[in-house]
């Protein structure tokens, strides 16, 4: 079956949970989380939940355990905490959950970022893969990075990713 055929046969509406990792944002200032929600809504997907969590590894891990145990979620998008600042701990936590890592996601994300922001793109640790039967995607917290990832990667492949993961 071709890639296009896989995409066509995939689920039309994916059920997402959005997690924003931030020490400073709340629902009124979380432009990246809201941007993800808007992209999902516009593409006819469902947001099953949304939470903001502090950039504390234990809190991120607890929330991921809770969300990945849900039967009503197909995919999780985490945004924030993917850099190399001392408080950036998202990548380490997400990496522990990934059972099958999609290395190409991070590679292409950084390439596309490089086209926009130059060599600073090497500091992004965007990642994606499967975790407990769900797609798990980790993006930087900047609105520009989220917009680029949603437009050029996530929305173009999420139906295919979930279809492959669920064997449909």
């Amino acid at each position: 079956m071709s890639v296009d055929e896989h995409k066509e046969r995939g689920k039309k509406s994916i059920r997402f949970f959005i997690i924003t990792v931030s020490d400073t944002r709340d629902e009124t200032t979380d432009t990246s989380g809201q941007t993800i929600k808007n992209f999902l809504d516009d593409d006819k997907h469902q947001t099953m939940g949304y939470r903001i969590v502090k950039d504390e590894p234990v809190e991120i891990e607890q929330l991921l355990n809770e969300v990945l145990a849900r039967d009503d979620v197909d995919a999780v998008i985490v945004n924030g905490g993917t850099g190399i600042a001392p408080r950036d701990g998202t990548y380490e936590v997400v990496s522990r959950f990934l059972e099958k890592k999609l290395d190409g996601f991070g590679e292409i994300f950084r390439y596309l970022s490089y086209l926009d922001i130059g060599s600073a793109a090497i500091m992004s640790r965007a990642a994606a893969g499967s975790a407990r039967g769900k797609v798990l995607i980790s993006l930087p917290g900047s609105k520009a990075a989220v917009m680029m990832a949603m437009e050029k990667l996530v929305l173009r492949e999420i139906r295919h990713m979930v279809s492959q993961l669920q064997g449909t």
Side-chain angles (χ1 to χ4, degrees):
M1 190 180 316
S2 74
V3 170
D4 290 334
E5 289 171 322
H6 274 291
K7 287 181 180 183
E8 186 59 34
R9 290 178 132 192
K11 290 174 82 168
K12 300 302 178 216
S13 180
I14 307 300
R15 301 168 301 172
F16 284 88
F17 197 100
I18 302 164
I19 298 172
T20 294
V21 177
S22 175
D23 291 332
T24 59
R25 295 181 187 170
D26 61 29
E27 287 193 33
T28 62
T29 59
D30 180 19
T31 57
S32 295
Q34 294 303 321
T35 297
I36 293 168
K37 276 195 217 180
N38 292 339
F39 271 104
L40 296 176
D41 289 346
D42 291 348
D43 207 41
K44 309 291 188 254
H45 297 294
Q46 302 170 61
T47 299
M48 307 308 292
Y50 161 76
R51 291 264 248 342
I52 299 174
V53 64
K54 296 286 184 206
D55 201 340
E56 293 289 342
V58 170
E59 291 184 35
I60 299 166
E61 184 173 348
Q62 286 173 341
L63 183 53
L64 279 172
N65 274 319
E66 176 187 321
V67 171
L68 292 170
R70 291 178 55 160
D71 292 332
D72 66 340
V73 171
D74 300 309
V76 179
I77 299 179
V78 180
N79 76 94
T82 62
I84 60 169
R87 295 277 304 148
D88 290 336
T90 303
Y91 178 81
E92 285 73 22
V93 176
V94 167
S95 291
R96 288 194 301 267
F97 279 89
L98 293 177
E99 296 155 359
K100 291 186 178 180
K101 188 174 179 189
L102 297 173
D103 294 321
F105 182 91
E107 294 163 358
I108 293 173
F109 177 88
R110 282 180 286 283
Y111 169 74
L112 293 170
S113 293
Y114 176 78
L115 297 176
D116 285 340
I117 65 171
S119 60
I122 66 170
M123 291 188 283
S124 170
R125 299 185 298 158
S130 66
R132 300 184 191 163
K134 297 168 183 15
V135 173
L136 176 56
I137 299 169
S138 181
L139 304 174
S142 84
K143 184 177 177 182
V146 163
M147 290 176 66
M148 185 273 294
M150 294 301 292
E151 288 175 344
K152 295 186 177 182
L153 296 172
V154 176
L155 293 179
R156 291 184 182 189
E157 290 302 322
I158 193 61
R159 289 177 176 93
H160 190 198
M161 293 164 74
V162 169
S163 169
Q164 287 289 295
L165 187 58
Q166 294 179 350
T168 57

